[in-house]
Amino acid sequence: MTNQSTLKPLIEARKVEKHFGAFHALKGVTCTFYEGQVTAIIGPSGSGKSTFLRTLNRLEAHDSGTIRIDGITLNDELKNLDAIRREVGMVFQNFNLFSHLTILENVSLAPIRVRKLARAQAHAKALALLDRVGLKDQAHKYPVQLSGGQQQRVAIARALAMDPKVLLFDEPTSALDPEMVNEVLAVMRELAHTGITMLVVTHEMGFAREVADRLIFFDYGAILEDTTPAAFFNQPTHARAKAFLSQVRSN
Amino acid sequence: MFAAMIGLLLFLWGMAIPLSWAPAPIGPAALEFTQGARTTVVLTIVSGVAGIVIGILAGLGKLSSFVPLRWLCDFYVWLIRGTPLLLQILFVWLASPQLLPDAMQLSDFGCAAVALALNIGAYNTECVRAGILAVPHGQVEAAKALGLSGFQRFMDIVLPQSMRVALPALANNLASLVKDSSLAYAISVVELTMIGYRVQASSYQPIPVFLTTAIIYLILTTAFTSLTSALETRLDVGRKR
């Protein structure tokens, strides 16, 4: 792993707990994420990995424990919440593009409303980002006219338009047809090399192994392994991780 | 959309001319019919717009997590839907002089507009609520994740998407409103039905008079529905068909 002492901590989670009714989804998760790091978060369905990701921009409120992002404590104070959400971008499993807006409007809406950018400036920036994900010529279409892979690339451009300090990916390729997975992974790979901080909940083991600096294995609402992808795939230590890997490999 | 609007305005402005060509009792009363139709349209538009605003506010209120507000909106819809419109109009007309201070007294037209707005607002409430519930939760989450405030999320994402769903039902309510506005005649508002009644009473010829009145209503409702269906087409972008 990269030498963490020289890196600046960006996200600090301490003893984060979350219940959904009787279900204990997060059991005292403690973890620090550093600037510039690409972290893959893997684990079986229902292990709490998506829930953990969603607590980081308070799409789920945690019950107890503390989450600090770039020095700001995440709590019910709207001022803190707004400040954090401006800096934390998110890409969803189901894209969640705004269906009544064009691609260009999807990407430029938040910079206009939240960053108070002038419309022309926001549009120019949106077009540059769409160009980067290879979709500049689709700018005036509506989301429904695009394929899943294209929609997800727009969703990445939309998140990037806010110049976030960290990007959260919640299973970004799980809802895609197999032939579209690679175009999205290619964009994410390119992003990872730009030095942006990324937390990627994924089932794409190839991507985790090849692109991530760090790998976290979740199960039963807790972090069971926190290591490098190479170490995890070659020598998993935890019994649950071994079982998970053998299941993944047999598929 | 512009075509429908211009058509409605042209009709209201110029209908006196063809009407005046008609034989008695219609021809001599052409100007009165025109005035009546204008009053009906203004009453429909004023109470229709106010009713949309009421519908959005009460629809939001019904979905609020603040329980007393939810009860209040439930009570409002229950009360209005459970009582006759004519009674509501009479109540506003007869009770408002006693309830309101002297400086705020309403004209007959004002009473009719208030009663009609409150009435259609209750029906709109349910349409708006259904529209808001139809907006996928992921749309709101994406807006939250981008840092949009609650107000921005509502105005930019939830409201336009819910209107797309609610509009056919709201248009239906508006078409009813054009006709419901005729009940204002009971409180002596000089609108289209009142004119028809008066002309009939002085000429003793109910058949041509009420036929003419009905045709004017049909033209008005046609104009309003083509207006709303044009609006529907404009809003209906980016949806699977």
Side-chain angles (χ1 to χ4, degrees), chain B:
Chain B
M1 200 161 121
F2 275 120
M5 253 193 283
I6 288 167
L8 180 63
L9 287 176
L10 271 181
F11 176 71
L12 287 178
W13 179 66
M15 64 185 277
I17 300 165
L19 276 179
S20 65
W21 299 334
I26 309 299
L31 273 178
E32 284 152 291
F33 273 110
T34 309
Q35 288 297 340
R38 281 181 195 162
T39 304
T40 291
V41 168
V42 174
L43 188 56
T44 302
I45 290 175
V46 169
S47 50
V49 169
I52 296 271
V53 175
I54 293 172
I56 290 173
L57 293 177
L60 270 178
K62 277 196 98 163
L63 295 171
S64 163
S65 50
F66 184 58
V67 178
L69 182 63
R70 219 160 57 213
W71 282 349
L72 183 72
C73 296
D74 281 341
F75 175 76
Y76 160 64
V77 172
W78 172 78
L79 180 72
I80 297 289
R81 285 204 305 198
T83 54
L85 174 56
L86 184 56
L87 182 72
Q88 293 161 14
I89 291 173
L90 289 172
F91 181 83
V92 172
W93 190 53
L94 294 168
S96 67
Q98 294 176 24
L99 293 174
L100 295 175
D102 286 344
M104 286 175 66
Q105 288 301 319
L106 293 164
S107 64
D108 295 343
F109 180 89
C111 289
V114 166
L116 285 168
L118 285 173
N119 182 267
I120 195 180
Y123 290 92
N124 288 349
T125 298
E126 291 302 307
C127 308
V128 170
R129 191 176 68 96
I132 291 175
L133 287 176
V135 177
H137 191 55
Q139 299 280 313
V140 179
E141 286 198 336
K144 277 185 185 172
L146 286 165
L148 268 68
S149 68
F151 182 70
Q152 289 169 334
R153 293 198 292 269
F154 180 71
M155 294 305 285
D156 283 325
I157 310 301
V158 176
L159 188 63
Q161 291 197 17
S162 60
M163 277 303 129
R164 210 158 60 166
V165 176
L167 198 62
L170 292 175
N172 206 25
N173 290 350
L174 187 69
S176 303
L177 183 64
V178 178
K179 298 164 291 153
D180 287 348
S181 71
S182 65
L183 286 174
Y185 116 104
I187 58 169
S188 67
V189 176
V190 188
E191 45 67 67
L192 188 53
T193 301
M194 170 71 97
I195 296 295
Y197 185 77
R198 280 184 184 171
V199 175
Q200 175 276 141
S202 59
S203 65
Y204 302 107
Q205 292 191 50
I207 295 169
V209 171
F210 285 137
L211 277 180
T212 307
T213 312
I215 289 168
I216 297 174
Y217 270 114
L218 278 169
I219 293 172
L220 294 182
T221 47
T222 307
F224 272 109
T225 43
S226 39
L227 197 71
T228 48
S229 49
L231 188 65
E232 241 172 81
T233 318
R234 264 182 76 149
L235 280 180
D236 192 33
V237 290
R239 276 216 283 188
K240 283 201 180 89
R241 261 159 261 259

Side-chain angles (χ1 to χ4, degrees), chain A residues 5-39:
Chain A
S5 60
T6 62
L7 293 172
K8 188 181 163 228
L10 194 57
I11 299 176
E12 296 166 273
R14 294 277 168 276
K15 296 181 181 163
V16 173
E17 297 273 341
K18 176 73 187 173
H19 292 80
F20 291 109
F23 180 64
H24 199 171
L26 295 177
K27 298 172 187 164
V29 177
T30 296
C31 195
T32 304
F33 298 92
Y34 298 87
E35 215 163 54
Q37 214 173 38
V38 177
T39 307

Side-chain angles (χ1 to χ4, degrees), chain A residues 179-212:
Chain A
E179 73 270 21
M180 293 171 186
V181 169
N182 280 329
E183 63 184 72
V184 172
L185 290 182
V187 169
M188 290 170 61
R189 197 172 290 125
E190 190 253 336
L191 265 182
H193 293 143
T194 63
I196 189 171
T197 312
M198 290 165 64
L199 271 64
V200 186
V201 169
T202 185
H203 292 293
E204 291 293 327
M205 296 304 145
F207 178 84
R209 178 170 214 154
E210 182 198 339
V211 180

Side-chain angles (χ1 to χ4, degrees), chain A residues 54 57 59 85 88 90 92 96-100 109-110 113-114 116 142 144 158-159 162, chain B residues 138-139 141-149 152-153 156-157 160-161 164 237-240:
Chain A
R54 289 163 57 83
N57 61 354
L59 290 184
R85 281 178 174 164
V88 179
M90 190 169 210
F92 298 86
N96 294 349
L97 294 181
F98 303 129
S99 58
H100 64 302
L109 178 70
R113 290 285 189 266
V114 183
K116 309 293 177 198
Y142 285 93
V144 71
R158 179 175 71 174
M162 285 294 286
Chain B
Q139 299 280 313
E141 286 198 336
K144 277 185 185 172
L146 286 165
L148 268 68
S149 68
Q152 289 169 334
R153 293 198 292 269
D156 283 325
I157 310 301
Q161 291 197 17
R164 210 158 60 166
V237 290
R239 276 216 283 188
K240 283 201 180 89

